[in-house]
Amino acid sequence: MSDSSNQSWLARSQAAVWHPCTQMQHHAHTGSPAHLPLIPISHGKGAWLYDFDGKRYLDGISSWWTNLFGHANPRINAALREQLETLEHVMLAGFTHQPVVELSERLSALTAGTLGHAFYASDGASATEIALKMSFHFWRNSGRPQKCEFLCLAGSYHGETVGALAVTDVALFKDAYAPLVRAAHVVPSPDFRQAEAGETPADASLNCARRAAGALEQHLEQHGEKIAALIVEPLVQGAAGMAMYDPEYLRLARALCDRYEVHLICDEIAVGCGRTGTFFAHEQAVNDGTPIRPDLMCLSKGISGGYLPLSVVLCSDAIYAAFLDDSVARAFLHSHSYTGNPLACRAALATLDIFAEDDIVAVNRQKAAKISTALAPLAEHPQVKHLRQRGMIAAFDVDTDDPYFSRKFYRAALDREALIRPIGNTVYLMPPYIVSDQEIDHLAQAIEHALHAAL
Ligand SMILES: *Cc1c(COP(=O)(O)O)cnc(C)c1O
């Protein structure tokens, strides 16, 4: 521990830590266009991360979409310190505690009581698997065991465990493990970029939603009897490259799921918690003046403010009631050791407190407008396509054949003190909500520089 320079930490990390989502050889290949720098972080403060050599990076992607109110947030820190002195953990089977009860009540209230039961895990992929298992088991308990297949959207991402890969449609993550996976049915995405020739931009988004809903209807007409649930990422398909779509799709999908007796699972792991302009993304799909509601909803990532691993599946009374019986086999016997961890729940409560006290959904509308203004000049760039935004997610596609574009861009942005990690040729911003106007300008300038350097 004597040497605390970047160099020593990255060498030790490369030797001992197997990093996620990474070809480890690319960390070692300095000087090659494939090189991916490994950056040892010593500490974080607000929207900034600091390395051991005193260099800083503005966290433009909220540390993989988790951080909402900055690193080392004083209010979340204080809540966690207090919780640490009270109760760090207790098993949730047969026991309960204040943070898990309060969090469950508050999440239910945020869905206007429509999703009144909360089941906990520690990561997003597990939440996906819980939702799939709950849906399947609901139908089995209801005397309809033939409803045992799932539907997902083209380009969907719901996590990478073997069960979650079944409803993940990203070839890079899925193909290698295809023999292990019981793949779901894939229906077309409502992504607005699939506009047809002659459609005005204003019509395109609605038409894409309607065409995709038409395909869903056809699929349900043929296979509805076997389908337990449709799982979607509401409004923005994150890992597909911030594919955005019109809320009309969710409204139509909700009606079709009702008609064909199929559960609608909203995976709000990335888009929930104020990210898209409403607290939950699905609330932007409105029917007769009220938001549509899913039967099951997955939350993770931002729910703990980006502090601790926590995920939760919320379900309707109807689903919950189908498991109540004298028989243990009819119960939902899923478990994780750290289910409902008090520290993680307390971080989530502190996060919800900040939403309420600071009126974050309204604040985010102003920040989103600022991001929009700061990025607007990019629309003039000849290689920038489909500049788009939904609340606190902004993205554009870069027209290039260079297979190393994303790495070149990433490295160039780091040189300008910005953490911006493109997905393929899609560059996006998804900053923490505490980002200031000056920091938004800093990110926009880093993008401009990185585009220049990478193209
Ligand atoms: C990140 C993500 C997941 C998986 O969450 P992990 O905690 O990484 O397992 C699932 N669904 C969506 C939409 C995500 O963005």
Side-chain angles (χ1 to χ4, degrees), residues 45-68:
K45 186 83 196 127
W48 293 89
L49 294 162
Y50 297 84
D51 73 11
F52 287 85
D53 294 344
K55 226 188 136 185
R56 60 179 199 158
Y57 308 92
L58 184 48
D59 190 348
I61 59 165
S62 299
S63 289
W64 259 355
W65 322 347
T66 58
N67 190 290
L68 302 190

Side-chain angles (χ1 to χ4, degrees), residues 340-357:
N341 173 261
L343 284 165
C345 290
R346 190 63 188 268
L349 287 167
T351 299
L352 294 182
D353 283 343
I354 296 176
F355 268 99
E357 288 161 17

Side-chain angles (χ1 to χ4, degrees), residues 165-446:
L165 274 179
V167 288
T168 284
D169 184 46
V170 178
L172 188 61
F173 301 142
K174 185 170 193 168
D175 286 359
Y177 308 101
L180 305 181
V181 174
R182 186 174 175 274
H185 305 258
V186 179
V187 287
S189 162
D191 183 348
F192 82 98
R193 290 173 297 180
Q194 296 175 354
E196 289 175 359
E199 285 178 338
T200 66
D203 292 343
S205 137
L206 209 51
N207 289 349
C208 288
R210 290 185 179 140
R211 277 193 293 270
L216 172 64
E217 179 168 12
Q218 255 177 15
H219 194 95
L220 289 173
E221 217 166 76
Q222 283 173 22
H223 307 288
E225 273 303 302
K226 296 184 300 187
I227 307 292
L230 163 70
I231 184 167
V232 299
E233 295 158 84
L235 302 186
V236 185
Q237 296 182 278
M242 303 301 157
M244 299 188 183
Y245 64 86
D246 197 285
E248 176 68 359
Y249 181 77
L250 296 174
R251 199 183 66 81
L252 295 170
R254 173 70 274 180
L256 289 168
C257 285
D258 287 341
R259 170 134 55 97
Y260 290 95
E261 297 182 292
V262 164
H263 290 141
L264 177 62
I265 303 172
C266 283
D267 174 351
E268 297 243 4
I269 289 167
V271 294
C273 302
R275 187 51 79 176
T276 67
T278 41
F279 191 80
F280 300 121
H282 72 257
E283 293 173 287
Q284 292 176 50
V286 174
N287 213 0
D288 286 340
T290 42
I292 62 128
R293 295 294 178 185
D295 302 288
L296 292 149
M297 174 163 59
C298 304
L299 295 173
S300 189
K301 291 205 166 99
I303 187 63
S304 70
Y307 263 69
L308 286 158
L310 179 71
S311 65
V312 54
V313 176
L314 300 172
C315 81
S316 65
D317 288 347
I319 289 178
Y320 180 75
F323 290 80
L324 297 176
D325 195 89
D326 283 339
S327 157
V328 173
R330 285 174 67 97
F332 192 61
L333 298 183
H334 190 99
S335 60
H336 297 285
S337 311
Y338 284 100
T339 294
N341 173 261
L343 284 165
C345 290
R346 190 63 188 268
L349 287 167
T351 299
L352 294 182
D353 283 343
I354 296 176
F355 268 99
E357 288 161 17
D358 295 4
D359 199 5
I360 293 301
V361 173
V363 168
N364 279 2
R365 266 182 224 128
Q366 285 162 18
K367 302 248 186 238
K370 169 66 191 172
I371 291 172
S372 172
T373 312
L375 297 188
L378 288 168
E380 308 301 322
H381 192 292
Q383 280 163 280
V384 168
K385 308 281 177 231
H386 297 302
L387 181 60
R388 57 193 180 273
Q389 190 175 352
R390 177 75 70 182
M392 294 294 282
I393 308 175
F396 57 88
D397 306 327
V398 177
D399 194 4
T400 170
D401 296 331
D402 182 353
Y404 298 115
F405 165 77
S406 67
R407 276 134 206 260
K408 288 180 180 166
F409 183 100
Y410 176 64
R411 294 191 302 253
L414 289 172
D415 289 340
R416 286 296 169 102
E417 301 187 324
L419 164 46
I420 305 170
R421 206 178 128 116
I423 300 173
N425 286 1
T426 300
V427 175
Y428 71 94
L429 287 182
M430 204 159 158
Y433 305 160
I434 44 97
V435 72
S436 69
D437 285 0
Q438 292 92 317
E439 287 166 342
I440 290 170
D441 286 333
H442 177 98
L443 289 170
Q445 283 154 18

